[in-house]
mmCIF file of all heavy atoms in Angstrom:
data_model
loop_
_atom_site.group_PDB
_atom_site.id
_atom_site.type_symbol
_atom_site.label_atom_id
_atom_site.label_comp_id
_atom_site.label_asym_id
_atom_site.label_seq_id
_atom_site.Cartn_x
_atom_site.Cartn_y
_atom_site.Cartn_z
ATOM 1 N N PHE A 8 21.381 -50.118 -13.378
ATOM 2 C CA PHE A 8 20.073 -49.474 -13.416
ATOM 3 C C PHE A 8 18.924 -50.450 -13.165
ATOM 4 O O PHE A 8 17.771 -50.083 -13.319
ATOM 5 C CB PHE A 8 19.869 -48.763 -14.749
ATOM 6 C CG PHE A 8 20.867 -47.672 -14.994
ATOM 7 C CD1 PHE A 8 21.523 -47.576 -16.210
ATOM 8 C CD2 PHE A 8 21.171 -46.750 -14.015
ATOM 9 C CE1 PHE A 8 22.440 -46.574 -16.444
ATOM 10 C CE2 PHE A 8 22.087 -45.742 -14.241
ATOM 11 C CZ PHE A 8 22.724 -45.654 -15.459
ATOM 12 N N TRP A 9 19.199 -51.687 -12.799
ATOM 13 C CA TRP A 9 18.140 -52.660 -12.529
ATOM 14 C C TRP A 9 17.722 -52.547 -11.073
ATOM 15 O O TRP A 9 18.438 -52.956 -10.163
ATOM 16 C CB TRP A 9 18.619 -54.071 -12.843
ATOM 17 C CG TRP A 9 17.576 -55.112 -12.614
ATOM 18 C CD1 TRP A 9 17.474 -55.946 -11.554
ATOM 19 C CD2 TRP A 9 16.475 -55.414 -13.457
ATOM 20 N NE1 TRP A 9 16.380 -56.753 -11.677
ATOM 21 C CE2 TRP A 9 15.742 -56.447 -12.847
ATOM 22 C CE3 TRP A 9 16.026 -54.906 -14.677
ATOM 23 C CZ2 TRP A 9 14.589 -56.980 -13.411
ATOM 24 C CZ3 TRP A 9 14.893 -55.446 -15.232
ATOM 25 C CH2 TRP A 9 14.181 -56.465 -14.601
ATOM 26 N N ASP A 10 16.562 -51.968 -10.823
ATOM 27 C CA ASP A 10 16.048 -51.788 -9.467
ATOM 28 C C ASP A 10 14.514 -51.819 -9.511
ATOM 29 O O ASP A 10 13.851 -50.805 -9.297
ATOM 30 C CB ASP A 10 16.552 -50.457 -8.896
ATOM 31 C CG ASP A 10 16.075 -50.207 -7.482
ATOM 32 O OD1 ASP A 10 15.771 -51.175 -6.767
ATOM 33 O OD2 ASP A 10 15.991 -49.024 -7.098
ATOM 34 N N PRO A 11 13.910 -52.979 -9.816
ATOM 35 C CA PRO A 11 12.454 -53.023 -9.958
ATOM 36 C C PRO A 11 11.694 -52.797 -8.660
ATOM 37 O O PRO A 11 10.507 -52.486 -8.687
ATOM 38 C CB PRO A 11 12.186 -54.421 -10.514
ATOM 39 C CG PRO A 11 13.404 -55.206 -10.227
ATOM 40 C CD PRO A 11 14.542 -54.257 -10.114
ATOM 41 N N THR A 12 12.348 -52.895 -7.520
ATOM 42 C CA THR A 12 11.664 -52.658 -6.251
ATOM 43 C C THR A 12 11.715 -51.188 -5.841
ATOM 44 O O THR A 12 10.935 -50.755 -4.993
ATOM 45 C CB THR A 12 12.292 -53.501 -5.132
ATOM 46 O OG1 THR A 12 13.674 -53.158 -5.012
ATOM 47 C CG2 THR A 12 12.147 -54.984 -5.427
ATOM 48 N N GLY A 13 12.634 -50.431 -6.380
ATOM 49 C CA GLY A 13 12.739 -49.014 -6.057
ATOM 50 C C GLY A 13 13.534 -48.718 -4.803
ATOM 51 O O GLY A 13 13.464 -47.608 -4.281
ATOM 52 N N GLN A 14 14.291 -49.673 -4.288
ATOM 53 C CA GLN A 14 15.058 -49.449 -3.063
ATOM 54 C C GLN A 14 16.214 -48.478 -3.271
ATOM 55 O O GLN A 14 16.490 -47.642 -2.421
ATOM 56 C CB GLN A 14 15.603 -50.771 -2.528
ATOM 57 C CG GLN A 14 14.525 -51.672 -2.001
ATOM 58 C CD GLN A 14 15.091 -53.007 -1.554
ATOM 59 O OE1 GLN A 14 16.230 -53.326 -1.831
ATOM 60 N NE2 GLN A 14 14.267 -53.786 -0.867
ATOM 61 N N ARG A 15 16.891 -48.557 -4.395
ATOM 62 C CA ARG A 15 18.072 -47.734 -4.632
ATOM 63 C C ARG A 15 17.717 -46.332 -5.126
ATOM 64 O O ARG A 15 18.293 -45.348 -4.705
ATOM 65 C CB ARG A 15 18.979 -48.413 -5.658
ATOM 66 C CG ARG A 15 20.320 -47.717 -5.792
ATOM 67 C CD ARG A 15 21.261 -48.393 -6.777
ATOM 68 N NE ARG A 15 21.054 -49.821 -6.845
ATOM 69 C CZ ARG A 15 21.347 -50.572 -7.907
ATOM 70 N NH1 ARG A 15 21.864 -50.013 -8.973
ATOM 71 N NH2 ARG A 15 21.120 -51.857 -7.911
ATOM 72 N N TYR A 16 16.763 -46.226 -6.052
ATOM 73 C CA TYR A 16 16.460 -44.947 -6.694
ATOM 74 C C TYR A 16 15.151 -44.319 -6.219
ATOM 75 O O TYR A 16 14.796 -43.237 -6.656
ATOM 76 C CB TYR A 16 16.424 -45.111 -8.209
ATOM 77 C CG TYR A 16 17.759 -45.506 -8.797
ATOM 78 C CD1 TYR A 16 18.001 -46.804 -9.219
ATOM 79 C CD2 TYR A 16 18.775 -44.570 -8.915
ATOM 80 C CE1 TYR A 16 19.212 -47.156 -9.755
ATOM 81 C CE2 TYR A 16 19.990 -44.920 -9.446
ATOM 82 C CZ TYR A 16 20.211 -46.216 -9.864
ATOM 83 O OH TYR A 16 21.421 -46.567 -10.384
ATOM 84 N N GLY A 17 14.395 -44.982 -5.375
ATOM 85 C CA GLY A 17 13.138 -44.427 -4.888
ATOM 86 C C GLY A 17 11.941 -44.730 -5.770
ATOM 87 O O GLY A 17 10.802 -44.624 -5.336
ATOM 88 N N LEU A 18 12.189 -45.064 -7.012
ATOM 89 C CA LEU A 18 11.154 -45.473 -7.968
ATOM 90 C C LEU A 18 11.606 -46.787 -8.581
ATOM 91 O O LEU A 18 12.808 -47.019 -8.713
ATOM 92 C CB LEU A 18 11.052 -44.462 -9.114
ATOM 93 C CG LEU A 18 10.216 -43.225 -8.962
ATOM 94 C CD1 LEU A 18 10.389 -42.340 -10.183
ATOM 95 C CD2 LEU A 18 8.767 -43.553 -8.799
ATOM 96 N N PRO A 19 10.688 -47.647 -8.981
ATOM 97 C CA PRO A 19 11.132 -48.803 -9.750
ATOM 98 C C PRO A 19 11.909 -48.322 -10.979
ATOM 99 O O PRO A 19 11.457 -47.439 -11.707
ATOM 100 C CB PRO A 19 9.829 -49.490 -10.150
ATOM 101 C CG PRO A 19 8.857 -49.056 -9.113
ATOM 102 C CD PRO A 19 9.260 -47.667 -8.728
ATOM 103 N N THR A 20 13.094 -48.861 -11.169
ATOM 104 C CA THR A 20 13.994 -48.385 -12.217
ATOM 105 C C THR A 20 14.419 -49.559 -13.083
ATOM 106 O O THR A 20 14.740 -50.631 -12.573
ATOM 107 C CB THR A 20 15.223 -47.714 -11.583
ATOM 108 O OG1 THR A 20 14.770 -46.657 -10.734
ATOM 109 C CG2 THR A 20 16.141 -47.140 -12.631
ATOM 110 N N TYR A 21 14.418 -49.315 -14.385
ATOM 111 C CA TYR A 21 14.785 -50.348 -15.348
ATOM 112 C C TYR A 21 15.829 -49.794 -16.304
ATOM 113 O O TYR A 21 15.854 -48.602 -16.593
ATOM 114 C CB TYR A 21 13.552 -50.785 -16.152
ATOM 115 C CG TYR A 21 12.445 -51.317 -15.277
ATOM 116 C CD1 TYR A 21 11.417 -50.492 -14.853
ATOM 117 C CD2 TYR A 21 12.450 -52.638 -14.870
ATOM 118 C CE1 TYR A 21 10.408 -50.974 -14.042
ATOM 119 C CE2 TYR A 21 11.440 -53.128 -14.050
ATOM 120 C CZ TYR A 21 10.427 -52.294 -13.645
ATOM 121 O OH TYR A 21 9.437 -52.776 -12.836
ATOM 122 N N PRO A 22 16.687 -50.672 -16.849
ATOM 123 C CA PRO A 22 17.591 -50.244 -17.910
ATOM 124 C C PRO A 22 16.833 -50.051 -19.219
ATOM 125 O O PRO A 22 15.673 -50.446 -19.349
ATOM 126 C CB PRO A 22 18.587 -51.402 -18.037
ATOM 127 C CG PRO A 22 18.345 -52.292 -16.887
ATOM 128 C CD PRO A 22 16.965 -52.022 -16.405
ATOM 129 N N TRP A 23 17.516 -49.473 -20.186
ATOM 130 C CA TRP A 23 16.959 -49.205 -21.517
ATOM 131 C C TRP A 23 16.362 -50.480 -22.103
ATOM 132 O O TRP A 23 16.992 -51.524 -22.109
ATOM 133 C CB TRP A 23 18.077 -48.679 -22.405
ATOM 134 C CG TRP A 23 17.665 -48.360 -23.783
ATOM 135 C CD1 TRP A 23 17.889 -49.121 -24.888
ATOM 136 C CD2 TRP A 23 16.973 -47.199 -24.217
ATOM 137 N NE1 TRP A 23 17.374 -48.507 -25.987
ATOM 138 C CE2 TRP A 23 16.805 -47.315 -25.604
ATOM 139 C CE3 TRP A 23 16.474 -46.083 -23.572
ATOM 140 C CZ2 TRP A 23 16.167 -46.352 -26.357
ATOM 141 C CZ3 TRP A 23 15.842 -45.120 -24.336
ATOM 142 C CH2 TRP A 23 15.698 -45.255 -25.700
ATOM 143 N N GLN A 24 15.137 -50.414 -22.576
ATOM 144 C CA GLN A 24 14.391 -51.472 -23.259
ATOM 145 C C GLN A 24 14.124 -52.696 -22.390
ATOM 146 O O GLN A 24 13.950 -53.788 -22.908
ATOM 147 C CB GLN A 24 15.107 -51.896 -24.543
ATOM 148 C CG GLN A 24 15.161 -50.799 -25.567
ATOM 149 C CD GLN A 24 15.770 -51.248 -26.870
ATOM 150 O OE1 GLN A 24 16.485 -52.235 -26.933
ATOM 151 N NE2 GLN A 24 15.496 -50.506 -27.927
ATOM 152 N N MET A 25 14.092 -52.532 -21.065
ATOM 153 C CA MET A 25 13.826 -53.673 -20.195
ATOM 154 C C MET A 25 12.646 -53.430 -19.260
ATOM 155 O O MET A 25 12.432 -54.193 -18.323
ATOM 156 C CB MET A 25 15.077 -54.033 -19.398
ATOM 157 C CG MET A 25 16.196 -54.556 -20.274
ATOM 158 S SD MET A 25 17.597 -55.155 -19.361
ATOM 159 C CE MET A 25 16.950 -56.670 -18.686
ATOM 160 N N ALA A 26 11.863 -52.400 -19.498
ATOM 161 C CA ALA A 26 10.697 -52.108 -18.661
ATOM 162 C C ALA A 26 9.549 -53.051 -19.041
ATOM 163 O O ALA A 26 9.457 -53.496 -20.180
ATOM 164 C CB ALA A 26 10.271 -50.669 -18.839
ATOM 165 N N PRO A 27 8.663 -53.346 -18.100
ATOM 166 C CA PRO A 27 7.483 -54.167 -18.423
ATOM 167 C C PRO A 27 6.622 -53.491 -19.495
ATOM 168 O O PRO A 27 6.620 -52.264 -19.630
ATOM 169 C CB PRO A 27 6.734 -54.248 -17.092
ATOM 170 C CG PRO A 27 7.726 -53.911 -16.048
ATOM 171 C CD PRO A 27 8.729 -53.007 -16.679
ATOM 172 N N GLY A 28 5.883 -54.286 -20.227
ATOM 173 C CA GLY A 28 5.102 -53.785 -21.350
ATOM 174 C C GLY A 28 3.967 -52.851 -20.983
ATOM 175 O O GLY A 28 3.508 -52.074 -21.818
ATOM 176 N N HIS A 29 3.488 -52.885 -19.747
ATOM 177 C CA HIS A 29 2.359 -52.031 -19.367
ATOM 178 C C HIS A 29 2.805 -50.642 -18.923
ATOM 179 O O HIS A 29 1.980 -49.782 -18.639
ATOM 180 C CB HIS A 29 1.529 -52.692 -18.265
ATOM 181 C CG HIS A 29 2.278 -52.884 -16.978
ATOM 182 N ND1 HIS A 29 2.308 -51.929 -15.996
ATOM 183 C CD2 HIS A 29 3.033 -53.909 -16.542
ATOM 184 C CE1 HIS A 29 3.043 -52.362 -14.993
ATOM 185 N NE2 HIS A 29 3.494 -53.568 -15.299
ATOM 186 N N LEU A 30 4.115 -50.389 -18.877
ATOM 187 C CA LEU A 30 4.634 -49.065 -18.514
ATOM 188 C C LEU A 30 5.084 -48.343 -19.774
ATOM 189 O O LEU A 30 5.908 -48.848 -20.529
ATOM 190 C CB LEU A 30 5.797 -49.209 -17.528
ATOM 191 C CG LEU A 30 5.449 -49.830 -16.191
ATOM 192 C CD1 LEU A 30 6.701 -50.042 -15.363
ATOM 193 C CD2 LEU A 30 4.453 -48.970 -15.435
ATOM 194 N N LEU A 31 4.517 -47.151 -19.994
ATOM 195 C CA LEU A 31 4.804 -46.392 -21.206
ATOM 196 C C LEU A 31 5.193 -44.960 -20.868
ATOM 197 O O LEU A 31 4.781 -44.418 -19.830
ATOM 198 C CB LEU A 31 3.565 -46.350 -22.110
ATOM 199 C CG LEU A 31 3.010 -47.690 -22.577
ATOM 200 C CD1 LEU A 31 1.736 -47.474 -23.370
ATOM 201 C CD2 LEU A 31 4.029 -48.424 -23.416
ATOM 202 N N THR A 32 5.947 -44.325 -21.763
ATOM 203 C CA THR A 32 6.285 -42.914 -21.605
ATOM 204 C C THR A 32 5.099 -42.057 -22.038
ATOM 205 O O THR A 32 4.138 -42.547 -22.629
ATOM 206 C CB THR A 32 7.509 -42.548 -22.463
ATOM 207 O OG1 THR A 32 7.173 -42.731 -23.838
ATOM 208 C CG2 THR A 32 8.725 -43.389 -22.102
ATOM 209 N N LEU A 33 5.192 -40.751 -21.768
ATOM 210 C CA LEU A 33 4.114 -39.841 -22.183
ATOM 211 C C LEU A 33 3.915 -39.873 -23.693
ATOM 212 O O LEU A 33 2.774 -39.850 -24.177
ATOM 213 C CB LEU A 33 4.446 -38.410 -21.744
ATOM 214 C CG LEU A 33 4.195 -38.076 -20.290
ATOM 215 C CD1 LEU A 33 4.672 -36.665 -19.985
ATOM 216 C CD2 LEU A 33 2.730 -38.219 -19.950
ATOM 217 N N ARG A 34 4.996 -39.920 -24.442
ATOM 218 C CA ARG A 34 4.875 -39.958 -25.898
ATOM 219 C C ARG A 34 4.194 -41.228 -26.372
ATOM 220 O O ARG A 34 3.390 -41.204 -27.305
ATOM 221 C CB ARG A 34 6.256 -39.859 -26.532
ATOM 222 C CG ARG A 34 6.479 -38.565 -27.187
ATOM 223 C CD ARG A 34 7.757 -38.536 -27.927
ATOM 224 N NE ARG A 34 8.262 -37.181 -27.795
ATOM 225 C CZ ARG A 34 9.313 -36.726 -28.360
ATOM 226 N NH1 ARG A 34 10.067 -37.508 -29.075
ATOM 227 N NH2 ARG A 34 9.682 -35.487 -28.196
ATOM 228 N N GLN A 35 4.554 -42.345 -25.761
ATOM 229 C CA GLN A 35 3.930 -43.604 -26.142
ATOM 230 C C GLN A 35 2.447 -43.601 -25.792
ATOM 231 O O GLN A 35 1.626 -44.123 -26.562
ATOM 232 C CB GLN A 35 4.641 -44.769 -25.458
ATOM 233 C CG GLN A 35 6.035 -45.004 -25.988
ATOM 234 C CD GLN A 35 6.822 -45.985 -25.141
ATOM 235 O OE1 GLN A 35 6.613 -46.084 -23.931
ATOM 236 N NE2 GLN A 35 7.730 -46.705 -25.773
ATOM 237 N N LEU A 36 2.092 -43.012 -24.660
ATOM 238 C CA LEU A 36 0.665 -42.881 -24.318
ATOM 239 C C LEU A 36 -0.044 -42.011 -25.348
ATOM 240 O O LEU A 36 -1.154 -42.321 -25.786
ATOM 241 C CB LEU A 36 0.499 -42.277 -22.929
ATOM 242 C CG LEU A 36 0.790 -43.168 -21.720
ATOM 243 C CD1 LEU A 36 0.688 -42.354 -20.438
ATOM 244 C CD2 LEU A 36 -0.140 -44.347 -21.679
ATOM 245 N N ALA A 37 0.586 -40.894 -25.720
ATOM 246 C CA ALA A 37 -0.045 -39.966 -26.664
ATOM 247 C C ALA A 37 -0.277 -40.617 -28.022
ATOM 248 O O ALA A 37 -1.309 -40.369 -28.652
ATOM 249 C CB ALA A 37 0.811 -38.719 -26.818
ATOM 250 N N THR A 38 0.645 -41.456 -28.489
ATOM 251 C CA THR A 38 0.438 -42.111 -29.779
ATOM 252 C C THR A 38 -0.721 -43.090 -29.738
ATOM 253 O O THR A 38 -1.332 -43.370 -30.765
ATOM 254 C CB THR A 38 1.700 -42.853 -30.244
ATOM 255 O OG1 THR A 38 2.058 -43.816 -29.271
ATOM 256 C CG2 THR A 38 2.847 -41.900 -30.493
ATOM 257 N N ARG A 39 -1.046 -43.572 -28.557
ATOM 258 C CA ARG A 39 -2.206 -44.458 -28.395
ATOM 259 C C ARG A 39 -3.483 -43.680 -28.069
ATOM 260 O O ARG A 39 -4.524 -44.280 -27.812
ATOM 261 C CB ARG A 39 -1.948 -45.464 -27.279
ATOM 262 C CG ARG A 39 -0.837 -46.432 -27.600
ATOM 263 C CD ARG A 39 -0.663 -47.430 -26.508
ATOM 264 N NE ARG A 39 0.422 -48.335 -26.817
ATOM 265 C CZ ARG A 39 0.628 -49.473 -26.196
ATOM 266 N NH1 ARG A 39 -0.186 -49.839 -25.233
ATOM 267 N NH2 ARG A 39 1.635 -50.233 -26.524
ATOM 268 N N GLY A 40 -3.401 -42.366 -28.041
ATOM 269 C CA GLY A 40 -4.571 -41.543 -27.753
ATOM 270 C C GLY A 40 -4.926 -41.505 -26.281
ATOM 271 O O GLY A 40 -6.091 -41.328 -25.936
ATOM 272 N N LEU A 41 -3.922 -41.671 -25.409
ATOM 273 C CA LEU A 41 -4.154 -41.705 -23.971
ATOM 274 C C LEU A 41 -3.398 -40.594 -23.277
ATOM 275 O O LEU A 41 -2.494 -39.992 -23.837
ATOM 276 C CB LEU A 41 -3.702 -43.058 -23.402
ATOM 277 C CG LEU A 41 -4.401 -44.293 -23.951
ATOM 278 C CD1 LEU A 41 -3.705 -45.549 -23.457
ATOM 279 C CD2 LEU A 41 -5.856 -44.299 -23.551
ATOM 280 N N ARG A 42 -3.777 -40.338 -22.020
ATOM 281 C CA ARG A 42 -3.086 -39.401 -21.141
ATOM 282 C C ARG A 42 -2.920 -40.075 -19.791
ATOM 283 O O ARG A 42 -3.636 -41.041 -19.486
ATOM 284 C CB ARG A 42 -3.872 -38.103 -21.017
ATOM 285 C CG ARG A 42 -5.256 -38.289 -20.447
ATOM 286 C CD ARG A 42 -6.058 -36.985 -20.467
ATOM 287 N NE ARG A 42 -7.437 -37.230 -20.130
ATOM 288 C CZ ARG A 42 -7.933 -37.120 -18.899
ATOM 289 N NH1 ARG A 42 -7.166 -36.745 -17.910
ATOM 290 N NH2 ARG A 42 -9.206 -37.355 -18.679
ATOM 291 N N PRO A 43 -1.987 -39.628 -18.944
ATOM 292 C CA PRO A 43 -1.781 -40.302 -17.659
ATOM 293 C C PRO A 43 -3.007 -40.334 -16.769
ATOM 294 O O PRO A 43 -3.177 -41.253 -15.979
ATOM 295 C CB PRO A 43 -0.658 -39.495 -17.002
ATOM 296 C CG PRO A 43 0.051 -38.843 -18.126
ATOM 297 C CD PRO A 43 -0.985 -38.595 -19.177
ATOM 298 N N GLY A 44 -3.877 -39.360 -16.842
ATOM 299 C CA GLY A 44 -5.116 -39.393 -16.075
ATOM 300 C C GLY A 44 -4.934 -39.154 -14.592
ATOM 301 O O GLY A 44 -5.639 -39.747 -13.789
ATOM 302 N N GLY A 45 -3.986 -38.322 -14.221
ATOM 303 C CA GLY A 45 -3.803 -37.973 -12.819
ATOM 304 C C GLY A 45 -2.867 -38.882 -12.047
ATOM 305 O O GLY A 45 -2.513 -38.580 -10.918
ATOM 306 N N GLN A 46 -2.449 -39.979 -12.629
ATOM 307 C CA GLN A 46 -1.523 -40.857 -11.919
ATOM 308 C C GLN A 46 -0.134 -40.249 -11.903
ATOM 309 O O GLN A 46 0.255 -39.522 -12.801
ATOM 310 C CB GLN A 46 -1.473 -42.239 -12.572
ATOM 311 C CG GLN A 46 -0.865 -42.236 -13.971
ATOM 312 C CD GLN A 46 -0.721 -43.611 -14.553
ATOM 313 O OE1 GLN A 46 -0.154 -44.485 -13.916
ATOM 314 N NE2 GLN A 46 -1.263 -43.796 -15.747
ATOM 315 N N GLY A 47 0.595 -40.529 -10.884
ATOM 316 C CA GLY A 47 1.971 -40.063 -10.796
ATOM 317 C C GLY A 47 2.889 -40.964 -11.600
ATOM 318 O O GLY A 47 2.463 -41.941 -12.215
ATOM 319 N N VAL A 48 4.161 -40.639 -11.580
ATOM 320 C CA VAL A 48 5.156 -41.459 -12.263
ATOM 321 C C VAL A 48 5.204 -42.813 -11.560
ATOM 322 O O VAL A 48 5.334 -42.894 -10.346
ATOM 323 C CB VAL A 48 6.538 -40.765 -12.231
ATOM 324 C CG1 VAL A 48 7.599 -41.667 -12.812
ATOM 325 C CG2 VAL A 48 6.482 -39.444 -12.966
ATOM 326 N N GLN A 49 5.093 -43.885 -12.323
ATOM 327 C CA GLN A 49 5.075 -45.236 -11.766
ATOM 328 C C GLN A 49 6.466 -45.867 -11.732
ATOM 329 O O GLN A 49 6.751 -46.686 -10.867
ATOM 330 C CB GLN A 49 4.138 -46.129 -12.578
ATOM 331 C CG GLN A 49 2.722 -45.640 -12.626
ATOM 332 C CD GLN A 49 2.048 -45.682 -11.274
ATOM 333 O OE1 GLN A 49 2.195 -46.636 -10.533
ATOM 334 N NE2 GLN A 49 1.319 -44.627 -10.947
ATOM 335 N N ALA A 50 7.321 -45.515 -12.682
ATOM 336 C CA ALA A 50 8.668 -46.086 -12.773
ATOM 337 C C ALA A 50 9.505 -45.184 -13.655
ATOM 338 O O ALA A 50 9.017 -44.167 -14.171
ATOM 339 C CB ALA A 50 8.612 -47.498 -13.342
ATOM 340 N N GLN A 51 10.762 -45.555 -13.832
ATOM 341 C CA GLN A 51 11.645 -44.785 -14.700
ATOM 342 C C GLN A 51 12.606 -45.715 -15.418
ATOM 343 O O GLN A 51 12.861 -46.834 -14.972
ATOM 344 C CB GLN A 51 12.419 -43.741 -13.907
ATOM 345 C CG GLN A 51 13.376 -44.303 -12.891
ATOM 346 C CD GLN A 51 14.059 -43.224 -12.075
ATOM 347 O OE1 GLN A 51 13.991 -42.045 -12.395
ATOM 348 N NE2 GLN A 51 14.733 -43.623 -11.020
ATOM 349 N N ILE A 52 13.113 -45.222 -16.541
ATOM 350 C CA ILE A 52 14.175 -45.903 -17.271
ATOM 351 C C ILE A 52 15.393 -45.007 -17.162
ATOM 352 O O ILE A 52 15.301 -43.793 -17.380
ATOM 353 C CB ILE A 52 13.801 -46.093 -18.753
ATOM 354 C CG1 ILE A 52 12.631 -47.041 -18.888
ATOM 355 C CG2 ILE A 52 14.995 -46.606 -19.542
ATOM 356 C CD1 ILE A 52 12.131 -47.186 -20.300
#
Side-chain angles (χ1 to χ4, degrees):
F8 298 133
W9 181 258
D10 181 25
T12 59
Q14 291 177 348
R15 189 178 329 154
Y16 296 104
L18 276 175
T20 303
Y21 301 95
W23 180 258
Q24 295 184 340
M25 293 187 72
H29 64 89
L30 297 174
L31 301 176
T32 64
L33 281 176
R34 251 186 215 184
Q35 291 169 330
L36 285 175
T38 59
R39 294 183 181 195
L41 300 171
R42 60 186 170 94
Q46 67 175 308
V48 174
Q49 301 294 318
Q51 64 183 348
I52 294 175

